[in-house]
Amino acid sequence: LPIATRLTERLGIAHPVLLAPMGGVAGGRLAAAVSNAGGLGLIGGGYGDRSWLEAELRAAGNARIGCGFITWSLNERPELLDLVLDHKPAAIFLSFDDPARYARRVADAGALLICQVQSRRDAQAALDCGAGMLVAQGGEAGGHSGQRATMPLVPEIADLLAARAPDTLLCAAGGIADGRGLAAALVLGADGVVIGSRFWASEEALVPPGLQSAAMTASGDATLKTRSTDIVRHRYWPERFQIRVLRNAFTDRWHGREDALQQALDTEAPSFQAAMAAGDATHASPIVGEAVGLLRSVEPAAAILERIVAEAEGLLTSAARHVQPA
Ligand SMILES: Cc1cc2nc3c(=O)[nH]c(=O)nc-3n(C[C@H](O)[C@H](O)[C@H](O)COP(=O)(O)O)c2cc1C
């Protein structure tokens, strides 16, 4: 049986799965592939680069997609929101700062405002500005996240919504990469999931193949949260958010020695950038979460989505049989 939730009904999509708006990684082709397969694809606007965004919005063609931004970075280029809203996106996904100043513009454009939150306090701020969907993001996630874990954060936010804003939708993010994760998220009280790392390892993702290959053999034990990867890229994140990446020679050398890294940027920044471009996973960091231990092959996004959904359907159907009274 297909999984129908308030999310699939409200968005008019077949499956309760959203592509995480991974900055620079989730381009138009990946977003369109996820939407065309029955989920909702979100372009990763990331730190906000106008010409990249224009090209990726074009690459999405006629697919119904949304777009995400790193909110504190959007604050420096707020006009980029209008560029995206002109394309009539289904949703705008904001994360990592107070979304209040953008809520009205998103609503006036007829797009769903999705706010990714890392704590109960963030959730309250998102509700105060009228978000239509919250994404409870645990620190297992690939990329930046806060301190909470997905397993207890999702039901806590589900309870908050039930009490305060029962019409607001809820998705879970962080550590979900297969049907078990999707089924678990629904049981925890979410209406759907936001998936990043699993789609990072898709054919359509804008990731150098060398970085993807390195992730295929890694365990979830091999990730860490660090500031070193931001410092070397000149990204100045608020203290409470750190980035989860795969450990490698770069993080072994610089994690915990960020002050020394700061002094060595003249040489370290260009060499990190070159390694990134070359897909050299020893010196550039694959940005993935703990779910990396569940990734074993790079596949088309549609195949990934279909398998996750079929597996969750099977699990939920057999769980329902188990709990039926005799
Ligand atoms: C490569 C990568 C880049 C990301 N970039 C962003 C971003 O620009 N904005 C954002 O809100 N979240 C970003 N995220 C976090 C995702 O929105 C999401 O919370 C996360 O991927 C979910 O956990 P998972 O990776 O275990 O699926 C990124 C995640 C990854 C893996």
Side-chain angles (χ1 to χ4, degrees), residues 28-39:
R29 207 162 75 87
L30 177 53
V34 171
S35 287
N36 292 336

Side-chain angles (χ1 to χ4, degrees), residues 20-23 46 70 93 95-96 116 137 141-142 173-175 195-197 200 287:
M22 296 175 280
I70 293 166
F93 183 115
S95 189
F96 308 122
Q116 182 162 259
Q137 185 207 30
I195 295 182
S197 297
W200 176 92
I287 302 175

Side-chain angles (χ1 to χ4, degrees), residues 29-79:
R29 207 162 75 87
L30 177 53
V34 171
S35 287
N36 292 336
L40 181 70
L42 299 168
I43 291 177
Y47 300 96
D49 174 327
R50 173 173 284 271
S51 57
W52 186 91
L53 263 176
E54 283 170 342
E56 297 305 328
L57 286 163
R58 266 198 309 278
N62 292 324
R64 183 163 164 266
I65 50 117
C67 183
F69 287 103
I70 293 166
T71 314
W72 62 257
S73 185
L74 182 63
N75 293 344
E76 292 156 20
R77 301 168 196 79
E79 69 284 358

Side-chain angles (χ1 to χ4, degrees), residues 166-177:
D167 285 338
T168 305
L169 298 169
L170 175 63
C171 274
I176 298 161

Side-chain angles (χ1 to χ4, degrees), residues 107-142:
D108 287 351
L112 175 70
L113 177 61
I114 303 176
C115 294
Q116 182 162 259
V117 301
Q118 290 77 25
S119 66
R120 184 188 184 92
R121 182 180 298 177
D122 295 333
Q124 270 155 339
L127 290 179
D128 287 343
C129 76
M133 181 194 298
L134 302 193
V135 178
Q137 185 207 30
E140 301 93 320

Side-chain angles (χ1 to χ4, degrees), residues 64-293:
R64 183 163 164 266
I65 50 117
C67 183
F69 287 103
I70 293 166
T71 314
W72 62 257
S73 185
L74 182 63
N75 293 344
E76 292 156 20
R77 301 168 196 79
E79 69 284 358
L80 292 181
L81 180 61
D82 297 317
L83 168 76
V84 173
L85 290 176
D86 284 346
H87 282 77
K88 298 274 164 238
I92 294 291
F93 183 115
L94 298 177
S95 189
F96 308 122
D97 202 357
D98 191 340
R101 63 186 278 200
Y102 304 108
R104 169 60 72 82
R105 276 154 73 196
V106 173
D108 287 351
L112 175 70
L113 177 61
I114 303 176
C115 294
Q116 182 162 259
V117 301
Q118 290 77 25
S119 66
R120 184 188 184 92
R121 182 180 298 177
D122 295 333
Q124 270 155 339
L127 290 179
D128 287 343
C129 76
M133 181 194 298
L134 302 193
V135 178
Q137 185 207 30
E140 301 93 320
H144 292 86
S145 63
Q147 301 305 316
R148 297 290 309 270
T150 307
M151 180 79 100
L153 182 62
V154 172
E156 182 176 342
I157 303 300
D159 288 346
L160 175 70
L161 293 185
R164 218 195 115 174
D167 285 338
T168 305
L169 298 169
L170 175 63
C171 274
I176 298 161
D178 60 21
R180 295 171 294 185
L182 169 55
L186 297 176
V187 173
L188 288 174
D191 303 297
V193 295
V194 170
I195 295 182
S197 297
R198 186 61 193 95
F199 286 122
W200 176 92
S202 68
E203 285 177 5
E204 295 89 345
L206 300 172
V207 178
L211 300 191
Q212 287 178 325
S213 328
M216 290 307 110
T217 51
S219 155
D221 297 1
T223 71
L224 87 168
K225 288 181 84 160
T226 185
R227 293 175 53 236
S228 58
T229 309
D230 287 330
I231 288 173
V232 78
R233 299 180 304 160
H234 305 284
R235 300 297 189 193
Y236 301 103
W237 276 79
E239 200 73 28
R240 61 184 279 239
F241 305 117
Q242 296 196 353
I243 186 170
R244 188 177 289 282
V245 297
L246 206 57
R247 281 176 49 188
N248 62 5
F250 175 83
T251 57
D252 286 349
R253 175 149 186 224
W254 296 111
H255 174 65
R257 297 182 58 236
E258 281 77 8
D259 289 344
L261 175 59
Q262 197 79 54
Q263 302 310 311
L265 279 182
D266 284 353
T267 53
E268 289 301 316
S271 80
F272 187 92
Q273 218 174 1
M276 203 66 170
D280 166 7
T282 312
H283 297 103
S285 302
I287 302 175
V288 286
E290 289 191 25
V292 69

